[in-house]
């Protein structure tokens, strides 16, 4: 009997140990998942800033071309450079103009013979020797532009059809420049084009671009570092020459919105963890008292067994309640319970671990649905076109949403035109999702009346229209309608379900299939969403065959 009591005490201690291990794994998993989610948000923010910086760099270089062409495509410039160069005029209309009005730092002008006739810095003519490093850096670009201009044998072309432009990043000494150049050509046929086109080169220092990143894009403290410098932060933009050689990189420290989210969630998570710890301590104390009573009175085995069984039931209930409560605040962070499944567990404990694992799998499914928007922005969604009966698909989607329409007291109509009869090559799964999102949106915002899904063939495209008699959308909200987490009317939709990503997903899937989606609406009268998808007919239906006959 003493041996049996000792075995029961060991079982109770094992229960306590397993419970504590499970609790520890739950807490560590919760903290780890939150940290991972915060880091993911930070990575998205950094990637967005990198993309914005690259777009700003590209647009700055495009702006250089526009600035240069304002003087390069000009009859007066061609006339002046046709004979002996008028250097004061050239300085005024190139060097001074680019520096004073465009913010350029350095300007070079080459005559039709390829000779450098003007070197200007900060609106002042300077000796070419003082800018030799810059001249050497842009010489290959000038040579390329002259060769391309010479290769165009039709010298009757003028204006923007004749000009040759180049943009690039170059290093001159310790400074990196954003460079643009253009050949000097007449703006119209009133002035004959020269036998060889002169060339103008103008550049801005990278320092001004860094200032614009900080001022216009709110990128914090961007700075130029070496191309091989270690990346200690996620904010960076590689700088390369026209032939792809590295020049350096712009580095900055992006904001960390994920850390702010983690900070905001910390009190609630801390409270949940504290409650778990308190419950674990209470369980530990309860079981400890039972063990002590067993040790003090081994003769009362029945009572001790009852108490031990009560403690075991309390443990089981605790784990069940803990698992249930953690699904919402911790989003199923019990994935680490998989480690416990490899140990020596009884049937009841293994069943509990299975519940925890399933909770993690459910969370993963929810997360994957939300992450579809990010996958669309990065271009990671690829359609798989097959032969699809478009008319049947339209009816199937409508039938799937008919119960919801009937519960809302709405009329839901499927109206596929005879022109789409037969099989079409497109991604049926994506199309089903797109039409489903549009129908759900229409049903959600139509208090009375009807929703109609039409489909027809228009040339080489299929057109799908979802029309409703709902509340409509204000014209000011239409441009942002397909943005993430955007709802057409906050005052009306606040009582509606949905996070505002359905239309975003619809647009992303349509664009992934090479199509377009647009919305038209009149407040108080309803909305029409129109989808155009490119599609090839791969099998004709009866109606299409009769039309062909």
């Amino acid at each position: 009997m003493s041996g049996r009591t000792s075995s029961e005490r060991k079982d109770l201690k094992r229960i306590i140990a397993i419970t504590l291990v499970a609790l520890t794994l739950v807490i560590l998993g919760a903290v780890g998942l939150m940290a991972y989610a915060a880091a993911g948000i930070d990575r998205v923010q950094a990637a967005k800033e990198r993309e914005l910086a690259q777009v700003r760099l590209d647009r700055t270089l495009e702006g250089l071309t526009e600035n240069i062409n304002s003087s390069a495509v000009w009859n007066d410039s061609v006339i002046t450079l046709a004979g002996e160069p008028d250097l004061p005029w050239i300085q005024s209309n190139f060097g001074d103009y680019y520096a004073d009005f465009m913010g350029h730092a350095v300007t070079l002008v080459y005559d039709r013979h390829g000779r450098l006739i003007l070197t200007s810095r900060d609106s002042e003519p300077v000796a070419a020797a003082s800018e030799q490093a810059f001249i050497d850096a842009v010489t290959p670009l000038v040579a390329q532009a002259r060769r391309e201009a010479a290769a165009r044998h039709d010298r009757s072309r003028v204006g923007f059809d004749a000009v040759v432009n180049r943009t690039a990043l170059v290093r001159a000494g310790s400074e990196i420049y954003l460079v643009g150049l253009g050949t000097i050509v007449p703006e119209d046929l009133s002035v004959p084009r020269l036998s060889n086109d002169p060339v103008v080169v103008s550049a801005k220092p990278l320092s001004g671009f860094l200032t614009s990143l900080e001022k216009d894009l709110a990128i914090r403290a961007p700075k130029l570092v070496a191309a091989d410098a270690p990346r200690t932060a996620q904010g960076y933009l590689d700088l390369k020459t026209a032939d792809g050689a590295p020049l350096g990189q712009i580095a900055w420290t992006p904001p960390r919105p994920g850390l702010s989210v983690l900070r905001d969630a910390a009190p609630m998570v801390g409270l949940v963890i504290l409650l778990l710890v308190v419950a674990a301590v209470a369980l530990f104390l309860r079981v400890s008292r039972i063990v002590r009573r067993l040790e003090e009175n081994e003769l009362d085995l029945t009572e001790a067994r009852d108490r031990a069984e009560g403690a075991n039931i309390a443990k089981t209930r605790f784990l069940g309640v803990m698992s249930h409560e953690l699904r919402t605040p911790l989003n199923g962070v019990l994935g680490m319970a998989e480690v416990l499944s490899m140990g020596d567990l009884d049937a009841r404990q293994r069943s509990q671990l299975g519940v925890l694992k399933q909770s993690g799998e459910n969370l993963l499914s929810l997360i994957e649905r939300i992450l579809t928007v990010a996958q669309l922005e990065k271009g990671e969604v690829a359609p798989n076109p097959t032969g699809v009966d478009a008319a049947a698909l339209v009816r199937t989607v409508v039938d799937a949403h008919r119960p919801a329409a009937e519960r809302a007291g709405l009329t839901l109509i499927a109206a596929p035109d005879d022109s789409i009869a037969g099989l079409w090559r497109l991604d049926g799964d994506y199309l089903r999702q797109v039409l489903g999102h549009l129908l759900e949106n229409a049903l959600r915002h139509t208090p009375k009346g009807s929703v109609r899904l039409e489909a027809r063939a228009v040339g080489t495209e299929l057109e799908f229209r979802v029309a409703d008699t709902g509340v409509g959308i204000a014209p000011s909200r239409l441009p942002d309608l397909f943005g993430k987490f955007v709802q057409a009317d906050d005052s009306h939709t606040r009582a509606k379900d949905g996070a505002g990503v359905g239309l975003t997903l619809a647009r992303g899937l349509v664009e992934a299939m090479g199509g377009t989606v647009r919305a038209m609406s009149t407040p108080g009268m309803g909305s029409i969403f129109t989808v155009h998808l490119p599609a090839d007919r791969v099998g004709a239906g009866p109606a299409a065959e009769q039309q062909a006959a």
Side-chain angles (χ1 to χ4, degrees), residues 204-227:
K204 292 182 178 181
L206 185 67
S207 56
F209 176 71
L210 297 180
T211 300
S212 73
L213 289 181
E214 187 167 16
K215 181 179 179 180
D216 299 335
L217 301 184
I219 291 179
R220 297 188 296 184
K223 60 183 179 180
L224 177 65
V225 298

Side-chain angles (χ1 to χ4, degrees), residues 169-314:
L169 294 172
V170 303
R171 178 182 291 278
S174 60
E175 183 71 79
I176 293 179
Y177 290 90
L178 286 75
V179 176
L181 66 81
T183 55
I184 298 174
V185 298
E187 59 190 285
D188 54 43
L189 295 174
S190 65
V191 173
R193 187 172 171 185
L194 301 180
S195 57
N196 290 299
D197 297 330
V199 177
V200 59
V201 181
S202 197
K204 292 182 178 181
L206 185 67
S207 56
F209 176 71
L210 297 180
T211 300
S212 73
L213 289 181
E214 187 167 16
K215 181 179 179 180
D216 299 335
L217 301 184
I219 291 179
R220 297 188 296 184
K223 60 183 179 180
L224 177 65
V225 298
D228 57 353
R231 290 175 177 170
T232 57
Q234 294 181 352
Y236 62 88
L237 176 64
D238 290 326
L239 303 177
K240 297 180 180 180
T241 63
D243 57 1
L247 284 175
Q249 58 178 316
I250 300 174
W252 66 88
T253 302
R256 301 184 62 186
L259 183 61
S260 300
V261 172
L262 193 60
R263 235 186 249 116
D264 294 341
M268 179 61 68
V269 175
L271 177 61
V272 173
I273 292 176
L274 178 61
L275 292 175
L276 291 175
V277 171
V278 170
V281 170
L283 177 62
F284 176 79
L285 294 176
R286 179 179 177 85
V287 177
S288 295
R289 285 198 299 269
I290 295 174
V291 172
R292 284 198 300 271
R293 293 185 63 178
L294 285 172
E295 293 174 346
E296 292 172 357
N297 189 7
E298 292 186 0
L299 295 179
D300 195 1
L301 294 179
T302 303
E303 181 181 356
R305 187 182 304 110
D306 293 340
R307 290 183 180 274
E309 290 175 356
N312 192 49
I313 293 173

Side-chain angles (χ1 to χ4, degrees), residues 226-442:
D228 57 353
R231 290 175 177 170
T232 57
Q234 294 181 352
Y236 62 88
L237 176 64
D238 290 326
L239 303 177
K240 297 180 180 180
T241 63
D243 57 1
L247 284 175
Q249 58 178 316
I250 300 174
W252 66 88
T253 302
R256 301 184 62 186
L259 183 61
S260 300
V261 172
L262 193 60
R263 235 186 249 116
D264 294 341
M268 179 61 68
V269 175
L271 177 61
V272 173
I273 292 176
L274 178 61
L275 292 175
L276 291 175
V277 171
V278 170
V281 170
L283 177 62
F284 176 79
L285 294 176
R286 179 179 177 85
V287 177
S288 295
R289 285 198 299 269
I290 295 174
V291 172
R292 284 198 300 271
R293 293 185 63 178
L294 285 172
E295 293 174 346
E296 292 172 357
N297 189 7
E298 292 186 0
L299 295 179
D300 195 1
L301 294 179
T302 303
E303 181 181 356
R305 187 182 304 110
D306 293 340
R307 290 183 180 274
E309 290 175 356
N312 192 49
I313 293 173
K315 182 271 302 182
T316 302
R317 288 177 178 174
F318 164 73
L319 290 178
V321 171
M322 179 178 64
S323 174
H324 175 75
E325 295 296 328
L326 283 178
R327 283 192 185 97
T328 298
L330 297 183
N331 295 324
V333 293
L334 303 180
M336 289 298 293
E338 181 68 24
V339 177
L340 287 177
S341 66
M342 295 183 290
D344 184 15
L345 305 177
D346 58 33
R348 178 181 298 147
Q349 294 160 349
R350 190 170 299 279
S351 175
Q352 294 164 352
L353 290 176
V355 173
L356 299 180
K357 181 179 178 182
Q358 184 61 46
S359 175
E361 293 174 352
N362 292 339
L363 172 63
L364 179 60
S365 176
L366 293 175
I367 292 175
E368 287 175 348
R369 291 180 58 192
I370 296 175
L371 290 181
T372 303
V373 174
Q375 292 172 349
L376 287 167
E377 288 180 351
K378 292 186 292 185
E380 295 179 353
V381 174
N384 181 27
T386 59
V388 176
D389 186 338
L393 187 145
V394 167
R395 296 187 184 94
T396 299
V397 173
V398 168
D399 289 343
H401 290 80
R402 196 174 304 282
E406 292 175 350
R407 287 194 298 270
L410 302 174
T411 301
L412 183 57
I413 304 169
D417 189 76
D418 290 343
S419 61
I420 71 167
L423 299 181
W424 298 82
R425 184 171 177 79
L426 48 79
D427 191 312
D429 184 54
Y430 284 1
L431 177 57
R432 185 178 295 105
Q433 294 183 52
V434 169
L435 298 180
H437 287 309
L438 295 180
L439 282 179
E440 290 170 3
N441 179 76

